[in-house]
Amino acid sequence: MSKAKRFMRLNRGLKSIALLWGIAGSHPLLAAPSSEIQVLTVAYLNNFMKLSEWPTTQDKELTLCVTQEGELAKELDSLVDAETQPHTLKIKRLLQGDNASQCHLLYLSKDEKPLLVQSWLNSLKDLPVLTVSDKEDFLDQGGMVALIEQDGRLQFEVNLTQVEHVKIKMSSKMLQIARDVRKK
Amino acid sequence: MKITLQTYLPCIVFLFTILNSTQQLSADEKKKVYDLPLDQLVNFEVVSASRFKQKSSEAPSAVEVLTAENIRNYGWRNLADALGAIRGLYTRNDRNYSFLGNRGFSRGGDYNSRVLIMIDGRRMNETIFDSGFIGEEFMLDMNLIERIEYIPGTGSSVYGANALLGVINVITKRGKDIDGMRIGGEAGSLGTYRGRATFGKQWSNGAELLLSGSHYLSQGNERLYFPEFANINGGIAQDKDHERNNRAFGKFSFGDFTLRGGYISRYKQIPTGSFGAFFNENNFSVDNQGYVDLDYLTQVNPNLDLEVRGFHHWYDYYAIGPYNADDKSILSREEADARWWGGEVKLTGTQFAHHKWITGLEVQYDQRQHYNNYDIGSPPPSFDRKNSGWRAGVYVQDEYRITDSLLLNVGLRLDQHHLIKHLQLNPRIALIWDITPTFTTKLLYGSAFRAPNILEHDLNTAKAILPQEERVKSYEAVAEWYPGNSVKLLGTVFYNDISRVLQSDPVTFNTVNTGKFSTLGFEFGAEKNWDNGRQLKLSWTHNNTRDNSVNGGSWATDSPKNLVKLHYAEPLLDNKLRLGFEEIFVDERLTVAHKIAPSYHLFNINLALTKPIYGFQANLGVYNVLDQHFKIVPGPNYVQDTLTGDGRTVRFRLEYGF
């Protein structure tokens, strides 16, 4: 290959990369701030932990439990790296059959088997573990916080009866922002 | 194409420029989002969830998964190493290609055409020999792999041809997983080196890019001794084991679109004198494979996902070797080139209560399937074949949750393939019963097919005997028990009935559908993962695979009755280091000459940093620590009845990220 040809090839290559770069960089900003669902979910969980108080207040380390590998579990690992909590944060991956009583917060995905969700909720009925899920009927099943996507926004609902039953204190701010707070 | 530093350098320089011009690092941006108060979060728009769903295999459970963490802990050098760690699989390298055996079934020289190999859910088997590459001839470097999914059993009900014994889906990392630039180097025994550059990023507007390129070089064994060739150079193949490859992979996603592309060019010397080539002469093969795939995945409504994609793949191959013709040495060239393109439309719906359904249409045009074999310098081609044609498949699958504890998964696919006469209809049925929340049982049945490849299709002297498809029916029962404390126990019983297997008729040399095989076996698996990163994993596969095509039936060749695998990873120095042990036992096997290849143990140790220190990530692996001279069974076209694998080797990897 002659040098001239080689230069032309290089030049062409650079141009196409530059074009790609242009597309990636110059896209107009969206009107509303937006984010991937798993980043938002992790941001919510981060807030829930800041705005809740567990009866075992001496805990310096908060344990956040998750039952499935995947994008959310990976995102939680980067939450630990981001160090946004006043507490040290620990992510624990649970397998079915594992004891969840050591968790402060347990996140159950809507992809989780129904039988398993129910069995975890039953085993935690009287324990101060904040249960959160994106499952629609989660509060009816005895869960505490449900994350619900509506009109392209992520919202949440709280089952305060269950939260108070296990003596977790939720800040009034959190309850104000909740789309719905259930209390018998 | 020869790739030199001069071609690499501008790219690297340019990537630096991109990096430096970036204003915000996505990690910081994410931290900002994590920290936002609730009243702001409720106003955030959720970016369509479907496009971030990691492409996962559409299979009713029983999937075995290896993660990026496993790859790091055990230091697997290529896909073949990783697959060798999976329950029920065994690999061998005949010093030209790597081959996969599956629950006791392995046919010499089938180039893994009875397994479907996928990258991000895309079929990678080429359209000449149907090869599914897994060694250094596979397209991806290990650092790009997020996870490897292995679905044992039939997969034709979703994926069509070739998914006879299993589906392997290799899922690549995302740009944001790399988040910056990584330069890596590898050096090891047998004069082995690899250089690599990977760039990955996600921008605030959601655009995401992953780019990677690497070069690999291995001098191989300087002297390989084959007693079968003792009369030539004392049986020593001198400097005939070189291997090198160039790899490139890229992924760019923006909005609902993802563009993927990959390329591999692999050169390997063949030191074994296989296929009748003169021994200790220069004999080599080159495989080039590439693809581009444009994917549009969108959420039509919260209960309906639509995926539309188009793809183009190509494969070029040639091999040159010296052969005997009328007592003269002539150079023979075997070559093949293939082009194929196509598309798929797929719908996934959840609008009916308790149902998740998938339906799709896949079309592929095999535009060129060209195979040629001739003697260099002799004018008339000795064997030149061209083919082209269409294949199409339509499939439907439904996952029906009958009760909270009972799940039924039914799939069906109808295939038309231009190399066979009849339409193929392949079902898969799985019944999954959670007897208790911690005890699950599964019953699985499925069938699958493989059409003959171009060579099998075109080789027969009499055109009247056109080979047809191979078939398999597989039955499996699985029990999984989670007794607590992160322990998982598993047991399976399986039966595979493989019929109409294509083989060469010993008299006419025609390819005929006369092979019949059956496998009956069971597996046990146990796994425990500790919070601190410690892992213990054990599996045992026992099977009896019979070759029923011979009189009265006999033990099939290259079929180890027992496979035992042990993996143990231990965190050291406050989890800064991870020490991984891998022990693989492969039982004795029957060779083509009806002798016994002895059983062997492969023991590997790997030491890796769990997190980079000052941006540096290091990894040291010792393979075949006990320096076993283990024997593998090569294909039928070898003078050697067994080949000896590599002894103890060492590999050091260092990566710098910024």
Side-chain angles (χ1 to χ4, degrees):
Chain A
M1 197 186 336
S2 76
K3 276 192 180 162
K5 267 189 188 160
R6 192 184 295 169
F7 174 74
M8 273 167 64
R9 245 174 65 162
L10 172 67
N11 201 15
R12 222 180 311 153
L14 287 180
K15 268 185 196 158
S16 58
I17 298 174
L19 188 70
L20 199 70
W21 173 233
I23 294 171
S26 66
H27 187 262
L29 283 171
L30 298 161
S34 67
S35 193
E36 300 173 16
I37 182 84
Q38 72 270 21
V39 178
L40 273 180
T41 305
V42 168
Y44 272 100
L45 299 183
N46 196 29
N47 268 287
F48 295 160
M49 286 194 295
K50 279 182 187 170
L51 300 173
S52 304
E53 256 181 66
W54 281 264
T56 46
T57 40
Q58 67 274 26
D59 293 344
K60 287 206 175 86
E61 189 182 67
L62 288 182
T63 307
L64 203 161
C65 298
V66 63
T67 61
Q68 287 187 347
E69 282 295 335
E71 286 285 292
L72 187 80
K74 256 170 67 187
E75 201 63 49
L76 285 170
D77 287 335
S78 63
L79 173 67
V80 173
D81 295 337
E83 293 177 0
T84 64
Q85 284 278 338
H87 307 86
T88 2
L89 197 61
K90 198 175 126 192
I91 308 299
K92 198 173 149 79
R93 289 157 159 84
L94 294 184
L95 210 58
Q96 55 198 90
D98 286 3
N99 189 343
S101 63
Q102 304 303 313
C103 312
H104 290 89
L105 189 154
L106 172 66
Y107 183 81
L108 295 163
S109 159
K110 64 178 167 196
D111 302 328
E112 193 57 271
K113 288 182 183 180
L115 200 66
L116 222 52
V117 173
Q118 200 55 65
S119 112
W120 256 311
L121 287 178
N122 289 346
S123 72
L124 297 174
K125 212 162 61 188
D126 302 316
L127 294 170
V129 177
L130 185 64
T131 52
V132 185
S133 172
D134 56 348
K135 222 168 166 292
E136 272 172 30
D137 56 346
F138 191 59
L139 301 191
D140 302 330
Q141 281 188 286
M144 298 179 195
V145 182
L147 286 168
I148 293 152
E149 198 185 326
Q150 195 188 23
D151 304 327
R153 304 283 192 278
L154 198 60
Q155 320 250 337
F156 67 99
E157 293 179 355
V158 179
N159 177 354
L160 196 58
T161 315
Q162 182 60 22
V163 173
E164 287 178 344
H165 172 68
V166 297
K167 301 193 169 53
I168 293 177
K169 271 192 211 152
M170 229 170 233
S171 85
S172 53
K173 190 182 166 193
M174 182 168 163
L175 297 173
Q176 268 167 21
I177 298 166
R179 192 178 73 168
D180 186 24
V181 177
R182 293 191 200 177
K183 198 178 171 186
K184 274 178 201 158
Chain B
M1 186 176 70
K2 201 174 165 172
I3 295 187
T4 61
L5 188 65
Q6 277 161 306
T7 36
Y8 270 137
L9 207 59
C11 303
I12 294 170
V13 168
F14 196 79
L15 286 175
F16 269 112
T17 326
I18 289 183
L19 190 77
N20 289 336
S21 67
T22 309
Q23 297 295 315
Q24 282 172 310
L25 285 169
S26 56
D28 291 345
E29 224 163 70
K30 259 189 348 206
K31 188 176 169 174
K32 243 167 44 194
V33 178
Y34 296 155
D35 240 0
L36 284 175
L38 282 178
D39 49 355
Q40 288 188 34
L41 285 177
V42 289
N43 292 320
F44 260 64
E45 194 174 331
V46 179
V47 181
S48 164
S50 60
R51 77 178 218 237
F52 293 106
K53 249 182 228 160
Q54 281 216 351
K55 186 80 201 157
S56 189
S57 315
E58 307 291 0
S61 70
V63 182
E64 176 97 0
V65 178
L66 299 177
T67 62
E69 188 182 343
N70 297 146
I71 294 172
R72 185 198 62 208
N73 286 354
Y74 302 109
W76 298 315
R77 295 159 292 186
N78 51 41
L79 182 62
D81 272 359
L83 296 180
I86 290 179
R87 168 169 51 88
L89 296 183
Y90 54 109
T91 59
R92 67 194 146 86
N93 183 293
D94 68 359
R95 298 206 175 276
N96 192 6
Y97 296 95
S98 289
F99 295 83
L100 196 62
N102 188 316
R103 285 178 168 174
F105 187 85
S106 159
R107 303 311 296 153
D110 78 353
Y111 303 99
N112 308 323
S113 55
R114 293 177 175 98
V115 190
L116 179 63
I117 311 273
M118 304 198 291
I119 295 177
D120 294 327
R122 308 313 186 217
R123 163 183 291 267
M124 287 295 135
N125 297 58
E126 44 80 9
T127 58
I128 301 287
F129 311 99
D130 273 354
S131 330
F133 294 128
I134 58 170
E136 286 299 334
E137 60 276 20
F138 176 64
M139 205 176 281
L140 295 177
D141 286 320
M142 293 308 275
N143 74 313
L144 296 179
I145 299 178
E146 172 64 24
R147 63 177 197 275
I148 301 165
E149 297 176 345
Y150 167 62
I151 308 124
T154 55
S156 286
S157 66
V158 179
Y159 299 110
N162 303 90
L164 218 56
L165 297 163
V167 176
I168 289 152
N169 189 9
V170 181
I171 289 139
T172 57
K173 284 190 176 156
R174 293 177 52 176
K176 71 166 189 179
D177 297 329
I178 305 292
D179 197 26
M181 184 82 201
R182 289 189 196 173
I183 307 281
E186 234 176 278
S189 315
L190 306 175
T192 303
Y193 302 93
R194 194 190 321 264
R196 195 183 62 222
T198 306
F199 173 78
K201 183 126 203 76
Q202 186 181 34
W203 285 272
S204 49
N205 59 6
E208 197 168 6
L209 177 70
L210 175 78
L211 276 178
S212 187
S214 73
H215 178 68
Y216 170 84
L217 171 73
S218 178
Q219 296 295 328
N221 292 271
E222 206 175 304
R223 292 157 62 85
L224 279 170
Y225 174 60
F226 300 102
E228 296 82 357
F229 289 103
N231 57 337
I232 306 163
N233 196 33
I236 288 172
Q238 183 84 34
D239 284 321
K240 296 284 179 292
D241 194 27
H242 295 206
E243 179 169 35
R244 54 176 185 262
N245 73 25
N246 290 307
R247 284 169 169 156
F249 183 79
K251 188 157 81 165
F252 177 72
S253 53
F254 187 66
D256 290 335
F257 289 92
T258 303
L259 178 69
R260 293 181 179 86
Y263 176 76
I264 169 115
S265 171
R266 201 280 302 242
Y267 163 95
K268 179 71 178 74
Q269 276 187 320
I270 307 164
T272 48
S274 54
F275 291 89
F278 277 127
F279 182 71
N280 197 35
E281 303 271 336
N282 193 22
N283 182 0
F284 65 90
S285 65
V286 174
D287 291 87
N288 302 324
Q289 196 181 1
Y291 84 107
V292 284
D293 184 294
L294 181 64
D295 183 289
Y296 174 71
L297 176 60
T298 191
Q299 202 170 45
V300 180
N301 62 52
N303 291 318
L304 187 65
D305 282 3
L306 166 71
E307 186 174 9
V308 183
R309 68 184 185 101
F311 56 82
H312 177 56
H313 291 239
W314 61 99
Y315 171 66
D316 294 313
Y317 154 85
Y318 69 95
I320 294 178
Y323 291 83
N324 184 0
D326 304 328
D327 288 333
K328 274 197 333 216
S329 173
I330 47 112
L331 270 185
S332 170
R333 182 181 164 105
E334 183 188 39
E335 60 183 25
D337 61 303
R339 302 282 178 272
W340 63 103
W341 52 269
E344 186 176 6
V345 184
K346 180 173 159 185
L347 286 166
T348 307
T350 49
Q351 52 275 93
F352 309 112
H354 312 300
H355 287 270
K356 184 191 171 190
W357 57 268
I358 299 166
T359 185
L361 169 72
E362 192 182 357
V363 174
Q364 178 175 320
Y365 178 55
D366 293 332
Q367 181 190 8
R368 185 169 1 146
Q369 293 169 299
H370 178 214
Y371 175 87
N372 192 13
N373 193 340
Y374 60 96
D375 297 337
I376 294 170
S378 319
S382 52
F383 189 87
D384 193 352
R385 293 288 185 280
K386 280 187 184 123
N387 257 295
S388 63
W390 288 87
R391 22 174 134 172
V394 54
Y395 58 90
V396 55
Q397 181 179 298
D398 184 40
E399 192 180 278
Y400 172 34
R401 182 159 284 291
I402 303 167
T403 70
D404 274 1
S405 58
L406 205 58
L407 187 90
L408 179 70
N409 189 310
V410 181
L412 190 67
R413 177 163 162 146
L414 183 69
D415 272 282
Q416 182 274 328
H417 195 299
H418 66 100
L419 292 177
I420 46 178
K421 269 190 252 169
H422 304 290
L423 289 175
Q424 301 296 312
L425 188 66
N426 289 287
R428 180 161 169 143
I429 301 160
L431 187 68
I432 299 161
W433 180 25
D434 296 318
I435 298 175
T436 76
T438 58
F439 192 87
T440 302
T441 54
K442 299 169 187 174
L443 285 174
L444 311 157
Y445 165 77
S447 73
F449 80 103
R450 178 181 83 95
N453 67 29
I454 283 299
L455 224 56
E456 290 162 333
H457 185 265
D458 287 353
L459 209 62
N460 289 357
T461 41
K463 277 282 131 203
I465 327 165
L466 269 182
Q468 293 302 312
E469 76 285 351
E470 297 181 342
R471 285 180 194 158
V472 64
K473 284 179 180 161
S474 73
Y475 308 80
E476 189 168 355
V478 182
E480 285 171 2
W481 182 37
Y482 299 83
N485 292 318
S486 297
V487 174
K488 178 184 176 179
L489 299 171
L490 171 140
T492 72
V493 182
F494 56 88
Y495 178 72
N496 289 334
D497 178 16
I498 311 167
S499 60
R500 302 163 58 91
V501 175
L502 288 165
Q503 47 193 21
S504 183
D505 185 286
V507 182
T508 62
F509 296 109
N510 282 331
T511 304
V512 282
N513 289 94
T514 52
K516 275 202 222 68
F517 292 82
S518 64
T519 300
L520 180 63
F522 61 82
E523 289 176 326
F524 286 113
E527 184 176 351
K528 178 168 164 68
N529 291 288
W530 281 259
D531 279 349
N532 64 356
R534 183 184 296 140
Q535 184 190 45
L536 182 64
K537 194 173 176 180
L538 181 72
S539 77
W540 172 34
T541 303
H542 174 83
N543 76 91
N544 181 15
T545 300
R546 308 277 301 167
D547 180 349
N548 299 319
S549 35
V550 287
N551 284 343
S554 73
W555 182 24
T557 54
D558 196 25
S559 174
K561 289 198 163 147
N562 294 290
L563 293 169
V564 181
K565 296 171 187 193
L566 176 72
H567 288 88
Y568 177 68
E570 177 66 31
L572 299 174
L573 297 175
D574 198 20
N575 206 12
K576 286 191 178 64
L577 283 173
R578 197 65 62 83
L579 185 62
F581 295 96
E582 178 176 54
E583 151 71 20
I584 290 170
F585 169 77
V586 178
D587 208 349
E588 58 185 27
R589 289 133 296 145
L590 188 69
T591 68
V592 177
H594 285 248
K595 289 183 180 141
I596 298 292
S599 61
Y600 64 86
H601 293 268
L602 273 183
F603 182 54
N604 309 319
I605 301 179
N606 189 69
L607 186 64
L609 282 176
T610 40
K611 280 199 174 143
I613 295 181
Y614 299 112
F616 285 99
Q617 174 82 51
N619 189 316
L620 177 71
V622 187
Y623 305 88
N624 191 1
V625 176
L626 306 174
D627 203 19
Q628 294 267 298
H629 299 282
F630 66 99
K631 305 283 185 206
I632 65 111
V633 180
N637 296 299
Y638 283 72
V639 175
Q640 300 93 330
D641 197 31
T642 59
L643 293 172
T644 309
D646 284 337
R648 185 187 306 119
T649 57
V650 178
R651 187 78 67 91
F652 179 68
R653 269 151 289 203
L654 190 66
E655 187 183 78
Y656 181 60
F658 52 93

